[in-house]
Amino acid sequence: MDIAFLIDQYFKGKNNVSIDVFDAQTLNAVYRNVIHAMTSHFEIEVSVLQALSYCLYEIMDNVHIHSGKPLGTAITYYDNGCESLHILIADDGMGIKASLAENSKYKEITESEALRLCLQDTITDGKGMGFGLYTTSRLIDNIGKKFILHSGSHKLIIENGKTTIVENGFWQGTLIYMEIGTGKEIDPNQVVDHRADVAEEYNETFVETGELESLW
C-alpha cells in the first residue's frame, strides 16, 4: 500500500500524523492505541469519542472480514485549531463492489451503486451485519465535516450536507476518510440507533473508574 500517496493526498502539510498498520491479530491493540491517543486531547467531547470508538472499530474490522487481504492501514490526525479529527482507514483488497457481489442480491450492481448502498442499514455481502458503515454515515450526519469513500474508480463524497459520487482516480480496495468536528456534544447512542449502549462500552473500556465522575 502506498502510504506516502495517502499522506500526500489527505494529510499534506500536517504534523504529528499517526500511522498504524494492522492485521487480524493486531487489530484490537491498534484500535485501543488509536482511541487512547485521542483521549489525550482533552478538547474532544467525550460523547464524540464514545460514538467514534464504535464506528472506528467496525470500519477496521471490515478490513479483516470483507477485504480479502490481511492488512489495513489507519492514519489519524487531530487538528486542534479547527477542532476536528481526520481519520483514514484503507486496504488494498477486493473493493466494495466485488465484496457486495458475493451476496447474490447485489451481483449486478454498478460500482457507484455499491458505494451508495453500503452506507445503508443491513446492506452486506453476507459475512457481516451491514451496520458499521451505516453507523459511520449517521456519525457524519451529526458532526461530519467531510467524508470520502473511495473504492475502484469511484468516490462517494459527503460535504456540506451534500452527497456526490464521482469517477476520480483508482484505489484498489476500500479507502474511508473522514473529518469530524470534536467540539459539539452529541448523543452517541442515537448514532447507533440505540441498538447498543456505546457510551457505556466506551466508559468501561477506556475510562478509569475514578475518572468517570469527571465526565459529567
Side-chain angles (χ1 to χ4, degrees):
M1 188 180 301
D2 191 345
I3 293 177
F5 169 81
L6 296 178
I7 295 294
D8 183 65
Q9 289 291 304
Y10 294 97
F11 299 89
K12 193 168 188 175
K14 305 290 194 257
N15 297 317
N16 301 317
V17 174
S18 296
I19 304 170
D20 294 279
V21 176
F22 60 92
D23 58 16
Q25 287 69 46
T26 61
L27 188 155
N28 282 312
V30 169
Y31 161 73
R32 285 172 178 265
N33 287 341
V34 169
I35 296 297
H36 276 303
M38 292 177 183
T39 63
S40 67
H41 299 287
F42 300 111
E43 307 89 345
I44 301 176
E45 280 285 344
V46 172
S47 60
V48 171
L49 290 173
Q50 290 168 335
L52 176 63
S53 64
Y54 182 92
C55 297
L56 184 61
Y57 183 85
E58 291 294 311
I59 294 172
M60 293 173 70
D61 197 40
N62 280 350
V63 174
H64 164 59
I65 295 173
H66 303 292
S67 75
K69 287 290 186 76
L71 297 179
T73 299
I75 306 176
T76 57
Y77 169 76
Y78 177 59
D79 189 329
N80 185 46
C82 295
E83 292 189 320
S84 62
L85 272 168
H86 301 229
I87 300 168
L88 185 147
I89 306 294
D91 65 68
D92 57 357
M94 68 175 67
I96 290 173
K97 181 180 182 295
S99 177
L100 281 182
E102 293 187 345
N103 184 330
S104 59
K105 289 170 59 178
Y106 309 117
K107 271 197 174 301
E108 304 303 322
I109 61 173
T110 66
E111 192 169 74
S112 59
E113 288 172 334
L115 296 188
R116 196 179 296 276
L117 272 174
C118 74
L119 297 184
Q120 299 177 18
D121 195 8
T122 69
I123 303 297
T124 176
D125 58 7
K127 292 179 285 190
M129 296 186 299
F131 195 52
L133 282 175
Y134 170 66
T135 55
T136 301
S137 71
R138 289 173 63 84
L139 179 68
I140 296 301
D141 286 343
N142 272 272
I143 53 174
K145 296 184 175 182
K146 188 172 187 178
F147 177 83
I148 295 174
L149 177 60
H150 191 182
S151 185
S153 60
H154 287 80
K155 284 182 181 179
L156 182 147
I157 303 167
I158 302 175
E159 193 169 16
N160 300 321
K162 181 182 177 182
T163 301
T164 57
I165 296 178
V166 298
E167 192 167 358
N168 177 252
F170 183 82
W171 181 261
Q172 176 60 52
T174 302
L175 183 157
I176 296 166
Y177 172 78
M178 55 184 165
E179 298 174 15
I180 61 171
T182 59
K184 174 186 172 184
E185 187 173 356
I186 61 173
D187 178 355
N189 291 334
Q190 184 271 336
V191 169
V192 297
D193 269 350
H194 298 278
R195 298 188 213 175
D197 190 344
V198 295
E200 182 65 22
E201 290 175 8
Y202 171 88
N203 293 344
E204 289 180 354
T205 305
F206 295 106
V207 182
E208 296 292 335
T209 303
E211 297 176 4
L212 284 174
E213 290 185 6
S214 67
L215 294 180
W216 297 276

